[in-house]
Amino acid sequence: EVELMESGGALVQPGGSLRLSCGASGFTMTSHAMSWVRLAPGKGLQWVSALRGNGQTTSYADSVKGRFTIYRDDSNNTLYLEMTSLKVEDTAVYYCARGPPLWTSVAYFDSWGQGTLVTVSA
Amino acid sequence: DIQMTQSPSTLSASVGDRVTITCRASQGISTWLAWYQQKPGKAPNILIYKSSSLESGVPSRFSGSGSGTEFTLTISSLQPDDSATYYCQHYSSSYPAFGQGTKVEIK
């Protein structure tokens, strides 16, 4: 069974940093593109960042480019999102999401974690 | 970047009604479109991919259609469990994007 489990969400001050983790079981991340998607209070879903199956090719939404870094540790099948220079508008539930099998580039998302809450506030 | 626009933003319908949600892309995306259902406090759940392909395990009352810039999600007979927010998402580039969502309420 495919499972994704996020952790690392917290209350952080503006300008601060945080690292989110997403542990996977039931599949190997090297065979899938993985993304982070967020849901801000009162807003809709927003794609944040993606890492292709090759583990090298990344993409970012303009709103986080230069501040967030996505990467993967294949030894423990875990995806990370390093967030720096956090802003109030980064407050959201952050989900990790898996792309479908045989698609190593960014596609739709066939499995999601339960989400982890990041609150940026003074 | 490609923008996705859904309509309506909210709709209220009765059990058994046929419901249609529209999603428009700012430029052509072929059939690279997915639909999700999200309930409060829960993760999104994939319903449809490649515009009209039903994800395994999703009830057959859900269907999708369209290509290019205009797409629809149809619920053929609305059920109480269908109360949720629905999102479209394009994946025609390395920068996928969601529509703003459509909240479906049961009268």
Side-chain angles (χ1 to χ4, degrees), chain A residues 52 59 95 107-109 112-113, chain B residues 36 38 42-44 87 89 94:
Chain A
R52 290 196 181 190
S59 53
Y95 298 98
Y108 60 92
F109 309 115
W112 297 68
Chain B
Y36 302 85
Q38 186 175 31
K42 301 292 187 182
Y87 295 93
Q89 176 232 330
S94 296

Side-chain angles (χ1 to χ4, degrees), chain A residues 3-117:
Chain A
E3 285 194 21
L4 296 165
M5 181 69 71
E6 303 94 337
S7 60
L11 171 63
V12 61
Q13 292 188 335
S17 300
L18 204 58
R19 187 180 78 165
L20 305 183
S21 302
C22 172
S25 60
F27 73 102
T28 303
M29 284 189 178
T30 56
S31 298
H32 298 259
M34 297 295 298
S35 284
W36 289 95
V37 177
R38 67 186 181 185
L39 181 66
K43 300 287 184 70
L45 295 171
Q46 181 191 21
W47 171 80
V48 172
S49 181
L51 178 66
R52 290 196 181 190
N54 63 14
Q56 300 297 318
T57 307
T58 60
S59 53
Y60 298 92
D62 286 345
S63 57
V64 306
K65 196 173 297 182
R67 300 188 298 122
F68 290 12
T69 303
I70 188 171
Y71 61 99
R72 193 177 76 203
D73 182 343
D74 293 341
S75 67
N76 60 15
N77 212 28
T78 299
L79 180 74
Y80 298 96
L81 186 68
E82 189 80 42
M83 304 186 294
T84 63
S85 302
L86 281 161
K87 305 176 182 180
V88 170
E89 52 265 38
D90 295 319
T91 295
V93 175
Y94 285 73
Y95 298 98
C96 71
R98 188 189 82 159
L102 305 179
W103 276 76
T104 54
S105 58
V106 183
Y108 60 92
F109 309 115
D110 68 351
S111 295
W112 297 68
Q114 86 292 345
T116 188
L117 176 62

Side-chain angles (χ1 to χ4, degrees), chain B residues 46-86:
Chain B
I46 179 80
L47 299 173
I48 303 282
Y49 61 95
K50 207 167 187 301
S51 178
S52 61
S53 295
L54 191 69
E55 177 74 358
S56 176
V58 173
S60 59
R61 64 181 180 274
F62 292 94
S63 64
S65 66
S67 66
T69 61
E70 188 149 339
F71 303 85
T72 59
L73 173 71
T74 300
I75 308 174
S76 61
S77 178
L78 191 67
Q79 300 301 303
D81 189 50
D82 300 336
S83 177
T85 299
Y86 294 82

